[in-house]
Amino acid sequence: MNSQELKCFVVAADRLNFTRAAKELYVTPPTVTHHIQHLEEELGVKLFIRNSKSVQLTTAGEIFYHDAHDILLRMEAIPNRLKAVKSNEQTILKIGCTMAQETKCLTKTLRLFHKENSMVSPRIYLDDYFQLVNRLIENQLDFILGTKTMMQDRPECTFKKLSTSTTKAIIPKSILQTAKKVISFNEIQDFSFITLRQKSIPKLKEDILEHFLSAKAREKNVIRQDDIEAVLALTLSGYGIGILPDYAFSIQDLDESVKVVSLQESLEIDYGIITLKQNKNPLITEFIKHII
């Protein structure tokens, strides 16, 4: 049973004339007869009584007529209903982040973006930077928030700088009291350190701090964590000095038990939005416009 067979039946039932039905449907009379015979075989009943003088619906035909007519109306309405759904369909903007802290920073931007793009529905995905970059390359994400270092050796990516960051030492006062605003790594190297795993924040080969941390890791004086919350929790509890880029945390995440100090050896880190060069999605430009 298909729509063409149902149309042939309904029009033939309306006209009670197979020739007129064929003309109206732009098919031949044998085609109408064939479709109706196929319906009768499938349903197991006779739908018409035909003789040389007239065509009449059987009782089964009259019952089926109402069902067939209703089915056709529903089928004809489907494309319009789907078009209506499509016109109101939300566009999804897929954003990748390496840490939950970034999602907090996104709140104001998302609020402003939503006011002008109410039909756009953002999705935020948290993962390590290896996975995020791979997902971006495979077009599973529209853009990533992260450092320029994340796209090194990835010529298909482009970077839009939003800010410049440096690495900070979050020093528990119970470990070290200092009035300095800038401190050398050598001055604090005898303490334990708490920082992120390599997969969370990619490092430059020339990063002196990372060389220090790698050396101390071999001495088992470095606690590596998968996320910012874990680093901050251990640092605030006095287990060691937290070593984090300043884009990864805010003062509101801390309390009076610690002091944030700049590291003398810290390299500047470009932080921003990473996209594929081939991705011309205008929503990305619109989103960047609202970043505070």
Side-chain angles (χ1 to χ4, degrees), residues 258-270:
V258 297
K259 179 179 176 63
V260 179
V261 180
S262 295
L263 284 165
Q264 185 176 309
E265 296 87 354
S266 174
L267 294 174
E268 289 190 342
I269 305 165
D270 286 337

Side-chain angles (χ1 to χ4, degrees), residues 177-189:
Q177 294 278 349
T178 180
K180 292 184 176 182
K181 294 183 179 180
V182 181
I183 200 167
S184 169
F185 203 87
N186 286 325
E187 297 177 66
I188 56 174
Q189 64 177 321

